Amino acid sequence: MTVSGLAVTPDTEATEADEYAALEAQIAAEEAAKTSRPDEDPAELEEDDLEDEDLEDEDDDEPGTPSTKAAGTPSQRPLVRKAVAKAIALRDADQRSMQLLGAIYGVEPTIERIAVETVINARRPGRVIADIEAIAATSPFQASAAVQATVERRGAKWARTVHALLTILGAASTKSLTGSNTKAAGTLAQDIHELSDAAHKDLTNAVDLARK
C-alpha cells in the first residue's frame, strides 16, 4: 500500500528503506536549516507590509535552504522513525485538517511532508491556533490591536498564515491582505471574530492531528 507517494507497508525491507531514505533527506535538511539560519529581528509593521509579496518570514523554525549534510546519521534516526510512524498515522486524516496543517507549515499538504513538519516543528500548529483563539476571545474593539501586537511578536508571515487558514475555512473576507497594516489587521480581526463554532472545531482538529 502506498499513501501520497510514500510507501507504508512495514513487511518489505526495500520499501521500508525507501521510506527512511526519503524522510531522512527531508529531516536532515530541515534540522540543518534550523541550526544554520541566522537570527533575525522581528518584522517591522510598516505601511503596506502586510501585502502578500512583502511579508517576511515568521520564526526561526521555518524550513530554509536545504543543507548538504548527509542524511541518515545516528542522531537523525529517531526523528526518521517518528516521521514514518506519523505518516502511517496520517493515512486516515481528513482533508480539511491536512489543508490547515499545510497552510500553517507553508507546504503542500501531502502525507510525507506533513509527517516531516510535525516531527520537526511540532509546536507551530498549537502556537498559531492559540494566537487565533486569543484574538477571538478579545472584544471587537481590542481585536485589531491584538492582531497588530501578534504580528509584531511573531513576524508578518503570521498574518499571511492566518489569512490562508481563514481562506481554507471559507471565512476570509478578502482574497489577499493589502493596504496599510492597520487596515489589514482590522480585516483579520473581523474575520477571526466571525469564525463559526465549526471553524474553531476544524482548527482544534488540525492541532490534535499534529499531536497525534
Side-chain angles (χ1 to χ4, degrees), residues 36-182:
S36 64
R37 180 177 176 179
D39 293 335
E40 297 177 357
D41 292 331
E44 295 292 336
L45 270 181
E46 298 179 354
E47 194 77 8
D48 296 334
D49 72 348
L50 289 181
E51 294 184 1
D52 283 351
E53 63 270 20
D54 294 329
L55 288 170
E56 299 173 1
D57 285 347
E58 172 195 359
D59 50 22
D60 59 7
D61 61 358
E62 181 74 13
T65 303
S67 168
T68 57
K69 179 180 177 181
T73 61
S75 63
Q76 299 292 338
R77 288 169 189 159
L79 290 177
V80 172
R81 288 194 293 270
K82 288 181 181 180
V84 171
K86 187 69 177 183
I88 295 172
L90 291 173
R91 287 181 297 177
D92 299 322
D94 64 279
Q95 184 179 9
R96 175 62 61 84
S97 292
M98 292 292 285
Q99 289 176 333
L100 292 171
L101 288 178
I104 289 171
Y105 288 121
V107 300
E108 290 296 318
T110 61
I111 285 178
E112 60 270 24
R113 202 69 189 94
I114 298 299
V116 171
E117 291 293 342
T118 53
V119 170
I120 298 296
N121 302 320
R123 293 181 296 176
R124 182 179 295 177
R127 183 172 64 231
V128 173
I129 303 310
D131 287 338
I132 292 173
E133 297 296 346
I135 292 166
T138 64
S139 73
F141 302 104
Q142 298 173 325
S144 181
V147 169
Q148 292 187 61
T150 305
V151 174
E152 289 174 351
R153 185 173 71 255
R154 299 292 192 199
K157 186 178 179 182
W158 178 90
R160 186 171 60 191
T161 297
V162 172
H163 183 264
L165 294 175
L166 293 169
T167 299
I168 292 169
L169 294 169
S173 60
T174 59
K175 291 184 178 180
S176 61
L177 295 176
T178 58
S180 69
N181 60 308
T182 301

